[in-house]
């Protein structure tokens, strides 16, 4: 038992070091992002084992691949987003700190609900990333959840049909990976599977709502473009809406909390 755990912790740390080094090499993570990912990865792989590692790796690599996918077309939205390119420490922590906490809790109290909540958390961030990275390529102009006006692709809180469908697939496939036979610590049940997929998808919808209504939005005084950035065209931008500290990282963090809460609520409602 102790020997098995020591081996898992050792292998988890090695795997995490390998993945974060590769991610840094391929410019998927900044140097502080790679350090944060190493730490979180070591905790999750080490305490949770392969059942926890695989969904996390799926999220990380599918998101990184989609960020790179048709990046030439996405470059024109570069000045709308707060951050683009390699993910930094705050982005990694916003997406992963709750997953790390749940993995550790499962290690002490191994309950199927904790594992399911872990999947709901990752499903939320995966659905959000897939929705954003594929939705931004939508040929139809997205509609803002705030006032239902048409907005430019990439705007926080804007949704499109293709982006919404991609979010649903993002949640679905992440949870599917979480239930791979022989790897998952929890046996597959259709009802449980659907509850987690819905929690993840709804969590990512809350992400869009928070983006539309509460996230800080700025206006550039030089080029008059709206942006999530505090500086633009080398000048300080002016905040036009939202809460000043509520940036994209906080929105991701809060929506993954919502994904977890939604899972527990749905589980309660369905009497699981
Ligand atoms: Zn500007």
């Amino acid at each position: 038992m102790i020997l098995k755990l020591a081996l898992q912790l050792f292998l988890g740390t090695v795997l995490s070091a390998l993945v974060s080094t590769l991610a840094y090499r391929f410019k998927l993570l900044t140097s502080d992002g790679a350090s944060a990912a190493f730490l979180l990865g070591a905790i999750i792989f080490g305490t949770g084992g392969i059942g926890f590692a695989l969904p996390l790796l799926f999220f990380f690599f599918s998101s990184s691949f989609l960020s790179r996918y048709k990046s030439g077309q996405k470059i024109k939205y570069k000045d709308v987003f707060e951050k683009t390119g390699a993910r930094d420490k705050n982005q990694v922590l916003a997406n992963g700190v709750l997953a790390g906490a749940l993995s550790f809790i499962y290690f002490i109290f191994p309950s199927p609900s904790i594992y399911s909540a872990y999947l709901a958390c990752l499903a939320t961030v995966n659905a959000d990333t897939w929705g954003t990275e594929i939705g931004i390529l939508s040929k139809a102009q997205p509609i803002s959840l705030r006032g239902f006006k048409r907005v430019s692709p990439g705007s926080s809180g804007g949704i499109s049909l293709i982006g919404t469908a991609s979010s649903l697939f993002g949640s679905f496939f992440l949870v599917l990976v979480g239930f791979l036979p022989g790897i998952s610590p929890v046996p597959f049940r259709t009802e449980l599977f659907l509850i987690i997929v819905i929690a993840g998808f709804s969590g990512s919808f809350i992400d869009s709502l928070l983006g539309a209504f509460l996230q800080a939005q700025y206006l550039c005084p030089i080029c008059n473009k709206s942006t999530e950035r505090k500086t633009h065209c080398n000048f300080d931008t002016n905040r036009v809406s939202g809460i000043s500290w509520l940036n994209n990282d906080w929105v991701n963090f809060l929506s993954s909390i919502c994904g977890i809460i939604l899972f527990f609520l749905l589980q309660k409602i369905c009497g699981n």
Side-chain angles (χ1 to χ4, degrees), residues 220 222-223 232-233:
C220 172
I222 306 300
C223 71
H232 204 258
C233 302

Side-chain angles (χ1 to χ4, degrees), residues 241-253:
S241 63
I243 302 167
S244 59
W245 57 267
L246 199 80
N247 60 12
N248 198 254
D249 294 332
W250 276 107
V251 167
N252 285 340
F253 177 73

Side-chain angles (χ1 to χ4, degrees), residues 52-234:
F52 281 72
L54 216 57
L56 182 68
L57 291 170
F58 178 75
F59 159 63
F60 182 71
F61 284 110
S62 70
S63 300
S64 300
F65 168 77
L66 288 176
S67 299
R68 292 285 177 94
Y69 178 68
K70 294 195 175 172
S71 56
Q73 274 188 47
K74 294 174 186 167
I75 204 112
K76 53 181 179 258
Y77 310 117
K78 218 182 89 189
D79 51 2
V80 175
F81 287 127
E82 186 187 359
K83 292 165 182 172
T84 49
R87 287 172 165 77
D88 65 18
K89 178 187 70 188
N90 291 340
Q91 279 172 296
V92 171
L93 292 177
N95 286 325
V97 80
L98 286 169
L102 287 166
S103 176
F104 191 76
I105 294 170
Y106 183 87
F107 178 66
I108 299 164
F109 307 106
S111 129
S113 287
I114 301 295
Y115 181 70
S116 305
Y118 171 80
L119 291 183
C121 174
L122 286 185
T124 302
V125 294
N126 201 51
D128 174 49
T129 313
W130 284 35
T132 305
E133 295 295 346
I134 301 174
I136 198 170
L137 299 169
S138 169
K139 292 211 166 59
Q141 250 193 323
I143 291 170
S144 173
L145 289 170
R146 185 177 170 152
F148 302 104
K149 288 173 299 205
R150 296 208 169 271
V151 288
S152 59
S155 305
S156 281
I159 58 165
S160 63
L161 191 64
I162 182 168
T164 307
S166 307
S167 285
L168 187 57
F169 280 119
S171 182
F172 179 88
F173 283 109
L174 188 122
V175 183
L176 200 65
V177 169
F179 280 113
L180 285 180
I183 288 166
S184 173
V186 173
F188 177 88
R189 274 191 300 120
T190 309
E191 198 187 36
L192 180 63
F193 175 82
L194 291 176
I195 285 174
I196 306 171
V197 171
I198 293 167
F201 176 63
S202 312
S204 79
F205 188 73
I206 291 175
D207 191 290
S208 298
L209 283 174
L210 290 171
F213 289 97
L214 298 180
Q215 188 177 338
Q217 298 289 344
Y218 301 86
L219 200 67
C220 172
I222 306 300
C223 71
N224 224 28
K225 271 186 187 160
S226 74
T227 175
E228 295 177 4
R229 296 187 174 213
K230 288 186 170 176
T231 55
H232 204 258
C233 302
N234 292 321

